[in-house]
Structure formats: C-alpha cells, structure tokens
Amino acid sequence: MSSFEALSWTCLFAPLAGAVVLTLAGSRVSRTFTAWAGTGFALVSFAAAVYVTYKLHHEPKFHHHGAREHIFTLYTWATSGSFKVPLDILIDPLSVVEMLVVSGVGMLIVAYSIGYMHEDPKERRFFIYLDLFLFSMLLLVMAANFALLLAGWGLVGLSSYLLIGFWHERKAPVDAAKKAFVMNAIGDVGIAIAIFFMVRDLGTVEFQGVFDQAGSRWAQGSETANWIAFALLVGAVAKSAQIPLHTWLPDAMEGPTPVSALIHAATMVTAGVYLVARTHVLFENAPDIQAVVALTGVVTLLMAGVIALVQTDIKRIIAYSTMSQIGYMFAATGIGAYSAGMFLLVAHAFFKALLFLGAGIVIHALSGEQDVRRMGGLQPALRKTATLMWIGTIGLIGFWPLAKDAVLASALAKGGTTAMIVWVGGLIGAFFTGVYATRLMRLTFYGQRSTYADVHLHDTSHGEAPRTMLWTVTALAVGTILVGFLAIGFGTKDELASWLRFVAPTVESSVSNEVLTTALGWGAGLAGMTLVFWAYSRPERLAAVKRPLRAGAVVAENLFYWDAAYRRIAYLPASVTASALYRWFERWVIWGTVSLIAYVVRAFSRAATEAQNGVVRLYATAFVAGAAVLAGYFLTRASL
Amino acid sequence: MTYDVVFVVASALAILSALGVVLSANPFHSALSLIGNLVSLAAMYLLLQSDFVAAAQVIVYAGAVMIMFLFVIAYLGGRAEEPVRSRPWYQTVGAIIAAVAIVAEVGFAVEEQAFGNGASVSDAFGAPQVIGASFLGRYVLTFEATSVLLLIAAVGGVTLAARRPAPREEGAIGAFEIQRPVTSISLQADVVDAETRFDVVRTGRARDEDGEG
Amino acid sequence: MHIGVAWFLGVSAVLFGIGLYGVFTRRSPIILLLSIEIMLNASNLALISAARYSGQQAGQVFALVVMAVAASEVVVGLGLVVAMARRRADLDVDSLTGLRN
C-alpha cells in the first residue's frame, strides 16, 4: 500500500479510532485529556487530508479514469451473485476539497469545544460524538459508491441526533433531535430508492459505473431518469434543510454551539450540495428535476432570509442564514455551476462556522443567554470577538469572498428562465442577507448595553474567552479571507474551478457578467447594511420601518406556518393512530394474548396440582382409570 | 335346571347385597349386607363344586372377618357414620363411569372367548382332602408364606391398636403422639404434620403482577 | 341357555364394579374396607370359576390364599381405624392428605 493510499485511509479512520479509543478509555482519562485527544485525532485526519491533496495536486490533470482519480478498496463489503459492493474510497479533486473542509474546519471546531465544553461534566461523550461525526462525514464524502455514501449519510444523521440531543436531560433537545432524525430519514429513503434503480438497471452502485452507463441506459428526460434524480433530490433536501424538509434545522439549535457550527453550518447540511455536485451526471440526465433543484434553492433562500429578519435568538438567526446560503448553493448546482456552488460551500463553511463560534463566545460570556434583545453594546467588552464576527458578516453578505457573486454571475451567463429566476432571486436575497446579518451585529454589539448584559456579563479583563475559543475563531477568520483567493474571478485564474474542472464543472461567465452581478450584489448588501444602521439609530425610525411590515413579520415569525402545517398533517394523525393502536390493539390483542396464555398455563397447572392433593381415593381412581385404559387398549388390539 | 335357578337367585342376591353395602348410610347395614353377599357367593362356590372353599368362605369370612367388622362398628358407634359433607357430582359420575368401564371390558374380554363346556372333574374336585394335599404338596411354599402373612397381620393389628403409655407433658412429640385434637393425622412415623383440608381454599383470581388491566 | 363359565365371570365383573364404585365414592374408612372386601370376593369368584372350568386345583388354592390375605388386610385396616378413633381424628379418608406434595 503506498503512502498515498495509507494516508487516505488514515484521514478516514483517524476520527473513528479516536471515538473508539476514547469510548473504551471512558472515565479512566480526565475530561481535559479526552478533549485534547479528540482534537488530536481530528488533527491527524486533517494532516492526512493535506498530504493527500498535495500529492493529488502534483499529478497531471487528465480526464477521469486516468490520473487524478484514485479508488482504493479495502475489501468487498457485500456480494450477491455478480453484484458487488466493495468498501472503497474515491480520491479525486472534489472529494479532497470536501475532505479538507470537513477535517480542517472540523478540527478547528473540535478545538474550540475544548474551551466551550470545559464546564460540562459530560464533555467526554461530546468529543467522542464529534469524532464519530467526523468519521461519518468523511465516509460520506470519500465514498466511491452509493451504498457507502448512504452508510455515511445515515451515520451522519445518527451523529446529528446524538449531538443535538446531547443535553438529553432536557425535553427540548430530545424533541429536536428526534425531529431532525425523522426528517433525515425521509431523505435516506430517497437515496435508497435511487440505489434500487441503479441496482436493477445497471447492476452496480459504483460512481464510475453508474455515471458512465447512466446516459446510455436511461434516456435523458425519461421517467426513470427523472425518478432517480428526484429521489436523490429528496435526500439532498432533507439533509440540507431546504424547503419542504427544513423545519428541523432551527430546532437543532438546541444542541451546543459547536454542534451547530460543525454540523448545521459547515458540513452536514452541505452534504446535499455535495451529493448533487457529485451526481451531476444523473441530474443533467433529468433537466426538469435539475430545474426543480434550482427553484427549490431560490424559494428557500428567499423564505429563510425573510424569517431570519424577525428572529430573536442569535443562533436561530444564523441557522436561517445557513438555510438561505445553502439555497444559493442548490441554485448554483441547479443551473449547472457546480464549482461555483462548491466554492460557496467552502467559503460558507468558514464564515458560517466563524459566526456560530463567535456567537458561542458571546453566549458564553453572557452565561448562556441567547436572546439578542437582551444583548447590546457588547463591543467594548468583546472587541476581538466583534472584529472577527465582522469578518464573518462580510463574508456572509458577500463582499469577500466573492462566492455568492460567482454563483449569480454564472446564472446570468447561462440565461434561460430558471437561471434568470435564480439571478433575480439571488440579488433580492442579497439584500435580505445584508439586513439580517447587520441586524445581528447591531443588536448584539452596538447600541445601549442592556440591563441583563450589565448584570450577567462575565468579567472580561482576563480575556474575552478561553484561549482555545479565540484562537480557533481567529483561524477561521483567516481562512475566510484566504479562501476568497481561490476564485477571485474577473478574468483572473479561477483556481477552484480549474481544479474541479472534470469532476464538477461550472458555467463560465464573462467578465462583464461578473462585474455587473458583483456590483448589484454589493449594492444590495450595502443597502441592507445601511438600512439597518439607519433604522436602529433612532427608535422612531425603527418603528417607522417596522409598521408597514407588520403583517409580513407575523407570517415570518410563525415560520411561514410550516411547522403548524406539518403538525396537522403528519404529527397529529400519527399520534392519534399510535394512541388508538395502544389502547385497542396493544392492550387487548397483544397484552391480552400474553396474559391469556399465562392464565391458561396457570389454570392448567392449578388443575394439575389437584392430582397431587394427597387424597388417596383420588389416586386409586387414577389407578383404575389407567388400568381400564390399558386393558381396553390391549383388548381392542387383540381383537383386531 | 335347578342349577340355573340357584345361579340366578344367588347372583341376584350377591349383586343386590353388594349394592346395599356401597349405598347404605348406616355402616351397620353395610356390614350386614356384606354378610349376605358372602353367603350368596358361598352358594355360587357350591355350584362350582368348590365345597371346601364355600365352607371356608362362610366360616372365615362371614364368621370371623365380619364379626370383627361388627365389633369395630359397635366400638365406634356414631363415629362410624360417614361425615355429612356432600360430595361433588363429578365424583359419583366418574366412579360410575370407571366401574362401568371395568365391567364392560371384562364383559368384552369374556365374550370374545369361545368357551366350550368346562372340563369334567371328579367328585372329589373341591374336597378338603384334595385341597389339603395341594397345600402340603405342590403349593407348600404358598402355604408357608400365607402363614407368615397371617402372623404379621396379627402382630401388626395388636401393635396398631395397642394403647401406648404416653408422657403427658406438653410439647413431647413421639410417634403418634399429639397434644391436642387435630383435624387430621399424618401417618408417617416420625413427623407429625398438621395438614390442610381437602377442599383447599382457592387462591382466587390471581391479581395481575404488572398492575395493568 | 346353559349357564357357562362366562356367566360367572360376568357376575364377578359386576360385583367388582360395584365394589369399585364404593371405593371411589365413600369416605368412611369402614365402608371403604367393606367395598374392598366386595372386590376381593369378586376376584375370588372369578378364580373359582376358572378353576372349575379348567379342572385345576390351583384356582381354589389361590382363592383360599386371597381369603387369608383379605383377612390380614382387614385386621390391619381395622387396627388403623381404631387407632384413628382413639386419637379423635376425623374418620374421613379425605382428611388424610399426608401424601400431598
């Protein structure tokens, strides 16, 4: 096994090894040790990913099936006749991008948790779960066949469930975890159905095999092709919290902040985007569904942006922001600009994690307060945090990196109804983004310091936050800035796009498209920022702005009534059915049968005990009866 | 002809007296019925040319054994009568069925055989000399064993009925010793148990352990 | 109709059945012993009939032995009854449940 292959496997299995080792070590090691060890395993994974990327980079850039695409097989996982599913990983430009993001950002977030979870008595379990999650996510992105992808998909869902419900003594996290898991399960079904089609028609689930044969086996736009793409879309939508399977994401904020950062911003929720980008051959084979992808993205980005405007919980604002940004990514993949979508994915991982972890510092400093209405004027106390979060905000609004603008420029270049809807919707969304992002900063850090904050703010003279927390957030900020250089556009070499050229192509856009789009995007963002600063400077201005929007705000506050609808459509019928089944079927049929059997046995044994009651006459009767039977038997036998 | 009449009369008497034994409430009447049964059977033995056995039946059975019974019944007086508790219906029915089953089977077995006439026997068939010769000849071992048995029975009977001089202190437990009237007695030699009665209290419908329902 | 040995055996069976009924049904030990006597006599009758039918002495000898055994058994049984009565126990065989598990 070459060092290249060995390190690829190391990247995948290091976090798993960490989880196993730390589980077995249990309470024999201190909590601090577990925290640092968990981070260490993640660091090993990241180092391996860096090495693998470096080696891959030095290979000539042939088309796939040649260099720059490596499949390493561990062993054959399952066979059934001629159908085989090997345990193999795929190392190609797209997967190493994901590997770096997952292990890099992941490692930083795990390091952040050393400080954040320091006072939690159960923090060992947290780090074990984090390592488990990292393994699952890496399995997802490194899988070379759909079955292994689905395995990683499911494991990621499991890790999400475990981590959201980490504080399982409280009801809200447990409910949120269940909700997330159930909705994710719907997505799992989608991918499974797609796999069934592949097995039936193509006899393989290997990426190579499927992508090569898909076009010839299923005609473009045929029903089968559409079903497959649609099934995959369902999976992506569930995992990435797009409409209509999005209601779990805000509730998932019940988990600790590092969880929100890692799983629900940087990595897991972007798995859907990765899936579409990876399987883009299948989506291009079903153009109608691909259009649905784009439209789903647009609708989500707009709706989420609106809801984020009225949220009062700092984490939920960022959560809806995530939903909105992923909408942009979906829109990108929907119009064929895969590498633009990946670029936004990478940039988003950095600045969204940055925002979450910065918010975590604020929450930590306020002893757990998450309501922005109780914050305000924290900037003098939390200077570094504020600065770092501004970097994140700039990234979010789209000033730098120019990821969002890349997506929209591609849309403009592509033309056609869907793409234009994306372009317009994206620009409107940019305005909303500017508003809610700035609102977040304004309410948290500026203005009058709230009385609550006065009372509860930690003494920050010794530093705003534990060192691990500040340093990791700083690292993320640096990353955000550096990532921007991956794809500057405007005619300069687009590094990322050329790296992903064969695996996840993009829509080339002209310089003029880019200039126009960027100008409009920046303008929309600036407009949003200005509006916020203008409105919040005086209360009467704020009231003037809010009054006409009252009706819309109500709708947004009720989350566009999605939760209420689901409750009526799905939860209540299921709950009623379950209660009815319990009362009628479970009680009478199942429990009744069991107790009937028990009753019969008991009655029978009670009757049988009578044979031993000590009354000799009864014994005599038994003798005679037995003798009579025997005699009868022999007599009849003799006569026959 | 006489043979048949005697047979019919004797068997009718035997059966009727047997019924009288098992159906009488008064044990004295039962004992007397049994005497009648024994005498009828002696008559039937005579029909079967077993003179000695018939005589022995009357002398030993009807004479000695039944007298013993009557003595004991007289000794017991009223206590010999059956306790008043009614018996469950299935006991009677079951007993009838069992009895009928036995009878039917025997009848069945007997019918199947093709009995010819019996062997012809000499007049000395049931005579005492012949019996005696058998006992001291071919069946001498049987004879001796029976004597031993009778000896054992005699000793046993005396032992069982003997009055034991008992130390009358409370708490002393010896064989067959009791301090107070008990409702029942256990006939094991070394342990005295107080037993519960036959009609054990049903424990009732068992409460469900789960607490559910 | 000629009274053959089958008739005697039939009577013997009936008597046996009656004795059996008595054993099953009655609770007084005295009556129980009397019923057992009926059964023993019934089997005696069967033996004598068989002896007459086959012409062999063995049946009569056997019947005499049975009589001796019956007598012994009655002695012991009545001894038990007397012992029970002396202990003021209930003269009811159903109360003697010492064989109960």
Side-chain angles (χ1 to χ4, degrees):
Chain A
M1 189 186 283
S2 67
S3 60
F4 185 58
E5 185 178 348
L7 279 162
S8 311
W9 289 113
T10 309
C11 177
L12 174 63
F13 284 119
L16 180 65
V20 170
V21 165
L22 292 173
T23 309
L24 292 174
S27 46
R28 277 172 273 203
V29 291
S30 72
R31 289 182 3 215
T32 321
F33 178 86
T34 312
W36 284 96
T39 313
F41 281 102
L43 179 61
V44 166
S45 181
F46 177 60
V50 168
Y51 178 86
V52 166
T53 312
Y54 178 76
K55 287 296 266 211
L56 196 71
H57 184 69
H58 278 276
E59 293 183 16
K61 350 169 187 201
F62 292 146
H63 186 58
H64 85 164
H65 285 331
R68 287 255 185 109
E69 177 175 295
H70 297 270
I71 298 183
F72 303 124
T73 312
L74 200 55
Y75 63 93
T76 307
W77 185 26
T79 44
S80 167
S82 59
F83 173 64
K84 287 196 324 170
V85 177
L87 196 95
D88 50 1
I89 54 175
L90 171 67
I91 308 292
D92 77 350
L94 179 59
S95 62
V96 298
V97 167
E98 280 281 2
M99 281 161 68
L100 285 172
V101 168
V102 172
S103 60
V105 176
M107 175 202 62
L108 289 173
I109 295 178
V110 178
Y112 176 92
S113 311
I114 302 176
Y116 191 79
M117 299 299 286
H118 182 68
E119 279 120 38
D120 193 313
K122 301 291 176 70
E123 67 176 298
R124 284 192 200 91
R125 191 160 53 97
F126 189 72
F127 285 93
I128 292 171
Y129 286 162
L130 278 183
D131 273 342
L132 177 68
F133 169 79
L134 285 178
F135 163 71
S136 315
M137 190 70 202
L138 285 168
L139 181 65
L140 198 163
V141 300
M142 286 167 77
N145 63 63
F146 279 94
L148 214 52
L149 177 101
L150 184 58
W153 199 266
L155 279 171
V156 164
L158 170 71
S159 311
S160 168
Y161 168 81
L162 291 172
L163 283 163
I164 295 175
F166 182 71
W167 289 315
H168 56 81
E169 301 85 15
R170 293 173 37 221
K171 187 172 188 298
V174 172
D175 287 345
K178 277 193 280 190
K179 189 173 177 180
F181 192 79
V182 169
M183 296 190 93
N184 264 246
I186 301 176
D188 297 351
V189 171
I191 301 192
I193 290 179
I195 292 182
F196 294 156
F197 275 109
M198 287 172 213
V199 173
R200 182 191 76 169
D201 289 344
L202 303 177
T204 177
V205 287
E206 291 287 309
F207 285 161
Q208 271 182 358
V210 170
F211 298 149
D212 286 345
Q213 299 175 50
S216 48
R217 181 69 179 78
W218 302 309
Q220 191 182 50
S222 67
E223 216 179 294
T224 320
N226 281 348
W227 275 114
I228 293 174
F230 181 71
L232 290 172
L233 176 62
V234 168
V237 161
K239 190 67 77 182
S240 297
Q242 301 293 286
I243 290 177
L245 298 173
H246 63 282
T247 51
W248 64 269
L249 187 60
D251 288 14
M253 296 299 115
E254 294 286 343
T257 309
V259 170
S260 310
L262 180 60
I263 300 186
H264 304 122
T267 45
M268 184 179 103
V269 290
T270 54
V273 181
Y274 165 77
L275 178 71
V276 179
R278 173 63 80 190
T279 58
H280 66 86
V281 170
L282 298 176
F283 279 93
E284 278 161 12
N285 211 25
D288 294 333
I289 303 297
Q290 192 165 24
V292 174
V293 175
L295 291 172
T296 309
V298 173
V299 173
T300 307
L301 79 90
L302 287 173
M303 191 199 77
V306 170
I307 297 181
L309 293 173
V310 299
Q311 290 300 304
T312 54
D313 180 313
I314 193 174
K315 283 175 69 175
R316 270 170 214 242
I317 298 178
I318 307 180
Y320 280 104
S321 163
T322 306
M323 210 189 284
S324 180
Q325 295 295 300
I326 298 176
Y328 277 98
M329 298 178 215
F330 263 62
T333 54
I335 57 168
Y338 307 109
S339 77
M342 290 305 296
F343 180 41
L344 182 55
L345 192 154
V346 174
H348 175 264
F350 279 95
F351 64 68
K352 196 44 67 65
L354 165 61
L355 283 172
F356 261 117
L357 297 188
I361 295 179
V362 173
I363 295 170
H364 196 255
L366 286 175
S367 314
E369 182 55 54
Q370 295 184 205
D371 191 333
V372 291
R373 295 169 297 187
R374 288 179 158 183
M375 301 179 190
L378 295 176
Q379 197 262 352
L382 298 173
R383 271 185 216 284
K384 295 199 194 104
T385 312
T387 319
L388 292 169
M389 282 192 75
W390 269 119
I391 298 179
T393 308
I394 288 172
L396 176 56
I397 303 180
F399 296 129
W400 179 270
L402 295 165
K404 201 188 318 203
D405 306 306
V407 170
L408 297 177
S410 302
L412 186 58
K414 179 154 174 163
T417 335
T418 323
M420 290 317 291
I421 295 176
V422 169
W423 190 74
V424 172
L427 287 173
I428 298 176
F431 173 69
F432 289 146
T433 312
V435 176
Y436 69 67
T438 319
R439 173 174 172 265
L440 174 74
M441 297 298 287
R442 172 69 176 74
L443 283 175
T444 311
F445 290 107
Y446 300 100
Q448 281 278 46
R449 185 179 292 197
S450 74
T451 45
Y452 181 90
D454 266 328
V455 173
H456 288 93
L457 189 61
H458 274 174
D459 174 23
T460 53
S461 51
H462 295 294
E464 297 169 28
R467 244 180 330 189
T468 49
M469 286 162 71
L470 259 186
W471 277 103
T472 47
V473 175
T474 314
L476 284 171
V478 169
T480 309
I481 299 174
L482 289 180
V483 159
F485 290 103
L486 270 182
I488 308 176
F490 300 120
T492 60
K493 186 149 166 17
D494 188 336
E495 289 292 336
L496 189 64
S498 70
W499 173 252
L500 292 174
R501 188 163 73 243
F502 296 111
V503 186
T506 190
V507 174
E508 297 291 340
S509 52
S510 67
V511 178
S512 58
N513 280 338
E514 291 185 28
V515 169
L516 173 63
T517 311
T518 311
L520 286 174
W522 282 30
L526 271 171
M529 285 183 76
T530 323
L531 176 61
V532 169
F533 274 117
W534 177 83
Y536 278 86
S537 59
R538 297 236 192 291
E540 61 269 15
R541 289 186 195 165
L542 187 59
V545 167
K546 280 196 178 174
R547 215 180 306 120
L549 301 172
R550 192 65 229 143
V554 170
V555 174
E557 273 160 25
N558 285 309
L559 314 175
F560 284 80
Y561 301 108
W562 280 100
D563 268 315
Y566 279 147
R567 188 183 160 74
R568 219 154 286 169
I569 298 172
Y571 174 73
L572 281 176
S575 170
V576 167
T577 314
S579 308
L581 279 177
Y582 174 73
R583 274 189 70 210
W584 300 112
F585 191 70
E586 171 87 20
R587 282 258 296 275
W588 293 107
V589 176
I590 296 180
W591 186 82
T593 312
V594 170
S595 41
L596 181 68
I597 294 175
Y599 175 77
V600 166
V601 170
R602 248 182 274 145
F604 189 72
S605 64
R606 228 181 291 140
T609 342
E610 294 301 320
Q612 302 275 321
N613 59 1
V615 176
V616 180
R617 274 190 311 135
L618 190 65
Y619 295 176
T621 319
F623 281 172
V624 173
V629 169
L630 276 175
Y633 167 68
F634 283 115
L635 280 176
T636 48
R637 209 170 65 120
S639 67
L640 286 171
Chain B
M1 185 58 202
T2 351
Y3 190 88
D4 299 348
V5 170
V6 173
F7 172 77
V8 169
V9 170
S11 41
L13 277 176
I15 290 174
L16 283 173
S17 53
L19 283 172
V21 170
V22 302
L23 294 176
S24 285
N26 189 336
F28 199 66
H29 294 166
S30 299
L32 292 178
S33 301
L34 187 61
I35 294 179
N37 187 51
L38 294 168
V39 171
S40 322
L41 281 178
M44 289 170 79
Y45 294 163
L46 282 175
L47 279 179
L48 290 168
Q49 282 188 264
S50 306
D51 322 324
F52 181 70
V53 179
Q57 167 101 336
V58 174
I59 296 170
V60 170
Y61 242 131
V65 172
M66 287 320 298
I67 298 304
M68 247 202 318
F69 262 109
L70 288 170
F71 268 128
V72 172
I73 290 172
Y75 168 76
L76 291 175
R79 283 187 292 170
E81 303 227 338
E82 190 145 303
V84 195
R85 221 169 344 161
S86 65
R87 65 180 82 96
W89 61 271
Y90 51 78
Q91 215 165 354
T92 319
V93 171
I96 294 178
I97 291 177
V100 167
I102 293 287
V103 173
E105 278 178 14
V106 173
F108 183 55
V110 164
E111 277 233 77
E112 290 305 305
Q113 301 297 326
F115 288 115
N117 289 327
S120 57
V121 291
S122 65
D123 280 341
F125 179 65
Q129 301 95 297
V130 187
I131 303 287
S134 298
F135 264 130
L136 293 174
R138 195 165 167 207
Y139 298 108
V140 62
L141 188 59
T142 313
F143 176 64
E144 297 299 336
T146 313
S147 333
V148 172
L149 174 65
L150 287 169
L151 177 65
I152 294 171
V155 170
V158 169
T159 314
L160 277 173
R163 192 182 295 272
R164 243 158 246 229
R168 282 270 118 202
E169 66 256 30
E170 278 292 317
I173 298 184
F176 295 104
E177 281 304 314
I178 51 175
Q179 294 85 9
R180 52 177 169 73
V182 294
T183 54
S184 70
I185 209 174
S186 150
L187 297 180
Q188 296 157 32
D190 48 340
V191 176
V192 176
D193 284 339
E195 292 294 329
T196 51
R197 304 182 80 81
F198 169 61
D199 285 323
V200 176
V201 175
R202 299 284 192 261
T203 51
R205 180 165 297 278
R207 195 167 16 96
D208 182 52
E209 285 86 17
D210 296 290
E212 284 209 57
Chain C
M1 194 179 8
H2 179 59
I3 306 278
V5 69
W7 288 78
F8 283 95
L9 291 177
V11 171
S12 158
V14 172
L15 284 177
F16 192 84
I18 294 174
L20 204 59
Y21 174 82
V23 167
F24 289 162
T25 316
R26 304 298 296 259
R27 285 205 313 278
S28 166
I30 303 271
I31 311 289
L32 205 60
L33 284 168
L34 290 174
S35 310
I36 292 173
E37 287 304 311
I38 299 179
M39 287 162 70
L40 284 167
N41 274 289
S43 49
N44 261 356
L45 179 61
L47 280 166
I48 301 291
S49 320
R52 171 65 182 82
Y53 178 70
S54 65
Q56 304 193 19
Q57 301 298 118
Q60 298 178 327
V61 169
F62 201 163
L64 286 169
V65 173
V66 168
M67 247 189 274
V69 170
S72 326
E73 162 241 326
V74 164
V75 162
V76 173
L78 287 177
L80 282 174
V81 170
V82 167
M84 279 165 61
R86 198 114 31 76
R87 267 61 173 177
R88 286 169 181 70
D90 225 14
L91 287 181
D92 179 349
V93 294
D94 289 342
S95 311
L96 305 174
T97 55
L99 283 176
R100 190 189 179 102
N101 68 332

